[in-house]
Amino acid sequence: MMRQHTRLIGWLLALLALLAMAGFSALGLWQLQRMHAKQAMLDAQGPAVAQALPLAQALAAPGALHGVADHGRFLAGVVLLDNQTRHGRAGVKIYRPFRSDDGSVLLVDLGWRALPPDRTLPDVPAPPSPVAVRGLLAPPPSAGLALGPAFSATDQSGRWLASRLPAEGLAAALGLPALPDRVLRLDPALPFGDERDLDLLPNTLPPQRHLGYAVQWFGLALTVLVVALVLERRRRRPIAR
């Protein structure tokens, strides 16, 4: 009976070790996937910026990143993306809908603006229109945990405060038939808008950090394996009489 009880405990410990190793390995693989995805995005940025396309062609082309150079006009409505930090300060990213001369519509990132301590939302003057634009067509900022409503009206002036940028919901709020799931990151050299850059990974981890976390998770899996083998060896060692 004692031997069966000991064998049962051994099997349970082995099962727990396997589950822990599988969980740690899965987390390590997920971190590696995030690393490769972000590195691929960074590698594609240079060629995309160098080859600018009209907005309609960029939206229709395969791939998430494309350089854009086009002409059109900004439409009514302002979207303020909340919880955007820069230089250690909290603020908002300012977006406006833009329609190119051929009828393509999307949100344009006009830049970041700091919020005062009382979080008074800024008044955003309309940029020049019609106007030539250029920049990088890219996915919107990462939404993080989708908690609560995605956006809400701030007043009657057409401003919307958003925690994320759902294309379908914002299109309806702005009175547009549709919006793509990408935004135009304006070239910082254009002489309108707010402070901005073409950094694709703001407020998020670079690929190297994901690699570091992957190594940690795989290290934990290896540690569990070593500990399990040591314990099993000790369990099988005959007891000296």
Side-chain angles (χ1 to χ4, degrees), residues 69-131:
D70 212 325
H71 187 275
R73 63 177 57 250
F74 285 95
L75 306 177
V78 177
V79 179
L80 305 174
L81 183 62
D82 202 2
N83 301 317
Q84 302 298 301
T85 59
R86 190 175 176 90
H87 311 309
R89 300 180 63 190
V92 293
K93 272 195 170 184
I94 302 171
Y95 293 84
R96 275 187 179 271
F98 174 86
R99 177 182 286 120
S100 66
D101 292 340
D102 67 3
S104 299
V105 178
L106 85 169
L107 287 180
V108 172
D109 178 358
L110 288 169
W112 173 90
R113 190 179 298 187
L115 289 182
D118 62 1
R119 288 185 51 83
T120 299
L121 296 179
D123 292 322
V124 183
S129 193
V131 66

Side-chain angles (χ1 to χ4, degrees), residues 151-217:
F151 57 90
S152 60
T154 64
D155 48 35
Q156 301 300 315
S157 63
R159 291 186 308 179
W160 297 84
L161 182 64
S163 59
R164 51 192 184 277
L165 301 177
E168 184 175 351
L170 282 174
L174 294 169
L176 301 172
L179 281 172
D181 58 356
R182 287 175 288 174
V183 300
L184 180 61
R185 306 275 302 275
L186 279 186
D187 185 338
L190 291 175
F192 58 88
D194 287 77
E195 184 178 351
R196 60 186 183 268
D197 55 43
L198 296 181
D199 181 9
L200 291 175
L201 303 176
N203 305 323
T204 187
L205 299 177
Q208 296 80 3
R209 291 287 298 277
H210 286 289
L211 177 60
Y213 286 135
V215 170
Q216 291 180 15
W217 287 121

Side-chain angles (χ1 to χ4, degrees), residues 23-34:
F24 291 148
S25 298
L27 289 170
L29 290 173
W30 177 70
Q31 290 290 346
L32 286 180
Q33 291 171 356
R34 294 289 292 159

